[in-house]
Amino acid sequence: MFLRKYIRTTFISLEPFPFHALRMNLYPRTMVTSKALLLTSLLWLFLSIPTSFGFVERSWEEAIDLANQTVALMTMDEKIGMVRGVGQFSSRCVGNISPPSRSFVVSGTNITILPLCFNDGPAGVRLGGSNVTGFPPAINVAATFNRSMMYARGVAIGEEFRGKGIHVYLGPAVDIMRNPKAGRGWEGFGPDPYLGGEGAYQTIMGVQSVGVSACTKHLGPYNQEHWRYGLNVNVDDRTFRELYWWPFMKSVEANVSALMCAYNQVNETSSCHNSALIGDGGYLRGEGFQGFVVSDWGATHDSASDNANAGLDMGSSTTRFNLLKQEQPGDWIVIGGGVYAGLESAVNQGQVTGARLNEMVTRILTPWLRLGQDQGFPETNYNSQDPDGTDSLNLNVDVRTDAHTALVRQIGSASAVLLKNNRTTSDATGTTTRGLPLSKDIRTIAVVGQDAQQLNLNCGGGLNECNDGTMIIGWGSGSNNVEFTVPPIDAITDFVKDFATISSDITSNDLTGGPAVAEGKDVAIVFANAMSGELGFYNIVDGNEGDRNDLNLWWKGGSMIEDVAAVCNNTVVVIHSVGPVPMSSWNNHPNISAIIYAGAPGEQTGPSLVDVLWGAVNPSGRLPFSIDDAEASYGTSIVYGIDPFPVIDYTEGLFLDYRYMASQGITPVYEFGYGLSYTTFTYSSFSVQASSSSATFSFDLANTGALDGTEIPQLYLGFPSSAGEPEKVLRGFDAIFLAAGEKQTVTLSVTQKEMSIWDVVSQAWVVPSGSFNVYIGASIKDIRLTGTF
């Protein structure tokens, strides 16, 4: 075993991304040099590190041994309490267990098992009372294409979960965005499995580095909200392995503690008792997973023996009402659950062996021991039943830090994708007169659109099921605390107060009022959004039942943009959205000088946007999906209809998003990986070194513009034609910060598995014979260097 010190060091080893957003002033006024930024960043880091404490992280082998010894001393009732939830309404947490009331001494170690606290969610503590951070969801972290930021966000989330006494972080969510309207697509990292896998890996490594267990979800595939409780997904073995399984595979590589199975059926068997997924001979255990499988809330069906024997380790418990079933980790819902109420009887009758029950408990206990949660882990100090913090059980422990706030702001700006920039500068000074970055010489500004105003801070239910202000995250259990949101109007107003005046129309998307305030202004910044979320208990938000009804901007956002552009020749469009929205009706309007796709940036939405608009941060975000106008361009659809048990055949196979578009000759409005900068970069001197087990690619990257900036070089692999793969697939990326005029040699590599396909006959990853094409570029379509090996 080794000692890992738990220290709040969110910004350690964050090279190579620029530290523009970490300066001490809240709204930075000018772009500063990289050296000054680095110095201020180091000062910020020094000031933000509080007292540290240590915990022992054990090896899997040590933890398993201690767990086995402990389980051998437990009674039947104690074991059952470990695998069955107590119910959300009987716990301070979203889910919990009933641990033994006594301690055990094994191998000289005192083992006292406390209630195992589970909590949402993927983007920060939900229902955790006040004083928690609203982090950006995974889709915006994916848009950074920056592993260091993915990791840093994981560390920061882990710190806040630990500070609240939460043992298990219910995340990351890694569901592939099979369709752009999918309600929970923003909870994951988009449609590309490689990008999703890297996001999952870095998030888990960050969260678990501070001793909090991560629980990757939802093992399915699970890709839409409509009829999620009854639908059946039919997917072939190769498609599942290469697309939907890939982020779970990377989660196992990251030593994830737990995985959550989904609601829906997969190939005609419920995910949570699908032995092909979670059994000893299935995908999960075959990958080497040593943690535990937990059901989603209400996701178990049939008998206790069906679930336990199929591989479900932590399931449901007894019911209080005939129609309502308590699901592990702990909700009372009508859609399923309650099956482990019969587990003890099933063991006594020989339907589930005692060895299998012991294995279930061991698997639950092992990650708890591995991450040192038996050693001074903070007691649970919040009450999810009272998220407003007024209950005596909610101690309102403040887990926010300046470093966390700065990181949210930094991710917000780094994930902002500059889609268009028709910049005009003055001949004399080079000052921007039109387009971005905006100049402080601007005197009159119009801010238009309700997405610029503060969101609804009194949206009931803890699920963020409102969209009447700025959109920072979707709705459902994957949402988070929005209490500290800084809306765009506040950040812009604060920044320009000394040099410009603002006229605004932001209480609604008024097609008359908006253009009226925009006419004649030096610049009009117009905001529009689109939102989606979780189905939940068949909750409908403005007519949308989780999945979006269509791709359109909400509240006539597209019409508002066109009307504002008609009267202001320097219109800057800002889109906050959970996914692609149609743009071709207005994106080429001559009066629209710039477009920023800001996604779902988290609580520091306003400051992060100001950083990009006025050039304190040079935008480096890249689209984690393609943007086109029609759902048909993506090759899939959301199944609506009236059949509560639809069968969805994934006949598109490996061809999602950019893969499908390339196969059909579709040119999107903006392609996967696309994003502009305020500077320019050139690629040169390409070299390839390859063997049967790996390949390495090196090239020179130069910043040939006048401003410092970060480039996102992307590596796409073209498999031999006989392999049956898409034309190009993402297999590498990096975030390279370069000062103006600086050049650096960049190296990207692929492993044997990353240049393999899944062979369904041999049930193995196999490198296909033939020549590979390699493409290095700034997006899937902006290829700068090519080679073969």
Side-chain angles (χ1 to χ4, degrees):
M1 68 181 68
F2 64 93
L3 182 67
R4 167 170 284 170
K5 289 187 177 180
Y6 164 74
I7 312 176
R8 287 191 176 97
T9 53
T10 303
F11 297 108
I12 286 181
S13 300
L14 291 190
E15 280 282 303
F17 58 84
F19 292 90
H20 295 75
L22 300 186
R23 297 203 306 282
M24 305 303 287
N25 53 317
L26 180 59
Y27 302 113
R29 300 300 175 117
T30 58
M31 186 172 290
V32 296
T33 67
S34 56
K35 182 179 291 186
L37 292 170
L38 180 59
L39 290 173
T40 6
S41 302
L42 293 174
L43 175 61
W44 183 283
L45 171 63
F46 175 78
L47 294 174
S48 65
I49 299 178
T51 304
S52 65
F53 62 89
F55 65 90
V56 174
E57 182 179 298
R58 301 178 175 96
S59 68
W60 281 107
E61 292 74 19
E62 289 175 296
I64 291 170
D65 180 58
L66 284 175
N68 278 326
Q69 293 184 59
T70 304
V71 173
L73 300 176
M74 289 184 181
T75 66
M76 171 72 82
D77 286 345
E78 289 171 334
K79 294 173 186 177
I80 295 297
M82 288 290 297
V83 304
R84 199 166 66 187
V86 301
Q88 179 174 346
F89 302 125
S90 301
S91 169
R92 295 169 73 163
C93 309
V94 168
N96 218 314
I97 61 169
S98 299
S101 58
R102 60 190 176 119
S103 299
F104 306 90
V105 178
V106 294
S107 297
T109 301
N110 185 13
I111 306 294
T112 302
I113 307 169
L114 299 176
L116 194 61
C117 181
F118 293 73
N119 214 81
D120 302 320
V125 178
R126 187 178 73 89
L127 303 177
S130 186
N131 299 317
V132 298
T133 302
F135 292 92
I139 196 64
N140 265 54
V141 185
T144 70
F145 278 72
N146 190 314
R147 291 179 180 85
S148 295
M149 286 192 184
M150 295 170 181
Y151 178 82
R153 172 178 170 271
V155 173
I157 289 173
E159 288 174 350
E160 298 206 358
F161 273 67
R162 184 182 183 100
K164 290 289 185 178
I166 303 167
H167 301 87
V168 182
Y169 154 72
L170 295 177
V174 298
D175 305 308
I176 295 293
M177 187 187 281
R178 178 175 177 263
N179 183 277
K181 297 189 302 183
R184 301 180 77 176
W186 53 271
E187 289 189 43
F189 298 90
D192 186 81
Y194 179 85
L195 183 57
E198 297 306 293
Y201 183 92
Q202 297 297 337
T203 301
I204 293 162
M205 294 297 289
V207 168
Q208 295 193 164
S209 73
V210 299
V212 172
S213 284
C215 177
T216 303
K217 60 185 187 181
H218 309 82
L219 184 55
Y222 163 49
N223 308 109
Q224 72 167 61
E225 292 305 287
H226 278 78
W227 309 120
R228 68 176 185 173
Y229 303 120
L231 68 83
N232 172 55
V233 166
N234 286 328
V235 58
D236 67 85
D237 184 34
R238 180 175 175 182
T239 297
F240 181 75
R241 283 280 188 181
E242 294 190 24
L243 270 181
Y244 301 98
W245 173 248
W246 192 278
F248 290 97
M249 176 187 74
K250 293 296 293 185
S251 297
V252 176
E253 289 182 16
N255 288 310
V256 70
S257 294
L259 277 97
M260 180 187 292
C261 47
Y263 289 113
N264 56 278
Q265 295 183 38
V266 178
N267 296 330
E268 302 181 355
T269 303
S270 295
S271 299
C272 288
H273 70 258
N274 192 318
S275 60
L277 292 177
I278 63 176
D280 286 344
Y283 292 98
L284 186 55
R285 297 298 172 183
E287 201 67 49
F289 177 61
Q290 298 184 80
F292 63 92
V293 179
V294 60
S295 64
D296 203 342
W297 280 238
T300 54
H301 305 278
D302 302 320
S303 69
S305 59
D306 286 333
N307 288 265
N309 293 332
L312 182 68
D313 300 307
M314 185 178 287
S316 52
S317 69
T318 57
T319 62
R320 291 199 296 187
F321 306 108
N322 291 333
L323 293 178
L324 298 180
K325 299 184 177 182
Q326 184 186 44
E327 180 56 280
Q328 179 57 35
D331 277 330
W332 301 90
I333 41 185
V334 299
I335 48 155
V339 300
Y340 276 4
L343 182 58
E344 184 171 356
S345 176
V347 174
N348 290 333
Q349 294 175 24
Q351 297 168 348
V352 176
T353 66
R356 170 59 186 141
L357 177 61
N358 289 346
E359 180 181 60
M360 294 160 67
V361 182
T362 295
R363 287 173 172 173
I364 294 165
L365 199 53
T366 295
W368 182 80
L369 290 163
R370 193 183 85 83
L371 294 178
Q373 292 183 353
D374 60 318
Q375 309 156 40
F377 196 88
E379 292 186 12
T380 302
N381 53 57
Y382 74 105
N383 184 8
S384 66
Q385 314 309 320
D386 173 52
D388 66 1
T390 58
D391 184 88
S392 61
L393 293 176
N394 199 325
L395 305 184
N396 290 310
V397 173
D398 188 352
V399 294
R400 292 176 60 86
T401 68
D402 290 341
H404 293 178
T405 302
L407 178 63
V408 171
R409 178 175 176 175
Q410 188 175 27
I411 294 173
S413 58
S415 60
V417 183
L418 183 63
L419 297 179
K420 176 181 179 179
N421 192 25
N422 289 344
R423 185 185 182 214
T424 303
T425 60
S426 63
D427 294 334
T429 64
T431 300
T432 302
T433 56
R434 187 173 182 273
L436 299 178
L438 295 173
S439 165
K440 290 173 66 176
D441 291 338
I442 286 175
R443 292 294 175 259
T444 59
I445 301 171
V447 178
V448 178
Q450 71 176 25
D451 182 72
Q453 73 174 343
Q454 181 61 282
L455 50 73
N456 187 344
L457 296 176
N458 297 308
C459 187
L463 297 171
N464 194 36
E465 293 176 336
C466 301
N467 185 20
D468 47 8
T470 194
M471 202 287 294
I472 67 168
I473 194 168
W475 73 78
S477 62
S479 187
N480 57 22
N481 189 310
V482 300
E483 175 186 1
F484 295 94
T485 300
V486 182
I489 187 62
D490 287 2
I492 294 170
T493 300
D494 183 88
F495 183 79
V496 307
K497 61 188 177 185
D498 295 333
F499 64 85
T501 59
I502 292 178
S503 302
S504 66
D505 186 81
I506 60 174
T507 57
S508 68
N509 286 356
D510 187 343
L511 300 187
T512 301
V517 301
E519 187 170 7
K521 299 301 189 294
D522 293 338
V523 63
I525 308 173
V526 56
F527 291 81
N529 72 33
M531 194 178 186
S532 69
E534 186 177 9
L535 173 66
F537 297 107
Y538 295 91
N539 298 332
I540 298 175
V541 179
D542 295 306
N544 295 263
E545 198 171 287
D547 306 308
R548 287 191 279 168
N549 294 334
D550 51 51
L551 295 178
N552 295 334
L553 290 165
W554 287 30
W555 316 125
K556 299 181 180 180
S559 296
M560 180 183 62
I561 291 168
E562 294 179 49
D563 290 353
V564 169
V567 299
C568 181
N569 68 357
N570 189 18
T571 296
V572 175
V573 176
V574 178
I575 301 296
H576 287 122
S577 178
V578 291
V581 296
M583 295 187 182
S584 64
S585 66
W586 50 263
N587 70 314
N588 288 321
H589 194 293
N591 284 349
I592 293 179
S593 57
I595 304 170
I596 295 175
Y597 181 90
E603 66 168 43
Q604 296 298 308
T605 176
S608 67
L609 182 63
V610 165
D611 288 342
V612 173
L613 288 173
W614 271 272
V617 171
N618 192 340
S620 61
R622 299 294 184 265
L623 288 176
F625 42 69
S626 303
I627 291 179
D628 207 32
D629 290 345
E631 182 182 8
S633 297
Y634 297 86
T636 62
S637 60
I638 296 293
V639 175
Y640 300 102
I642 60 173
D643 180 3
F645 303 101
V647 175
I648 306 177
D649 297 319
Y650 283 20
T651 54
E652 72 280 356
L654 302 174
F655 295 85
L656 292 182
D657 197 87
Y658 70 86
R659 300 170 172 212
Y660 177 79
M661 294 180 186
S663 73
Q664 301 299 309
I666 298 170
T667 300
V669 178
Y670 297 107
E671 72 269 18
F672 179 89
Y674 177 83
L676 301 175
S677 172
Y678 295 153
T679 189
T680 55
F681 299 91
T682 60
Y683 296 63
S684 62
S685 304
F686 187 42
S687 66
V688 179
Q689 292 183 322
S691 67
S692 60
S693 59
S694 64
T696 301
F697 314 99
S698 296
F699 55 94
D700 289 341
L701 182 66
N703 182 343
T704 53
L707 300 174
D708 300 352
T710 296
E711 175 66 335
I712 310 292
Q714 300 156 46
L715 186 160
Y716 296 91
L717 208 57
F719 282 74
S721 57
S722 61
E725 289 288 307
E727 178 185 4
K728 300 186 188 82
V729 296
L730 182 69
R731 282 295 184 265
F733 60 84
D734 207 344
I736 307 297
F737 176 72
L738 295 173
E742 185 180 0
K743 183 167 73 172
Q744 179 178 324
T745 298
V746 178
T747 299
L748 302 174
S749 60
V750 294
T751 65
Q752 183 173 357
K753 184 175 288 186
E754 290 165 351
M755 56 186 185
S756 297
I757 64 173
W758 181 254
D759 182 73
V760 297
V761 176
S762 64
Q763 289 290 288
W765 293 99
V766 175
V767 178
S769 59
S771 295
F772 287 77
N773 294 320
V774 59
Y775 309 88
I776 304 291
S779 75
I780 185 68
K781 297 186 75 65
D782 184 8
I783 301 301
R784 310 291 182 89
L785 302 168
T786 61
T788 60
F789 65 94

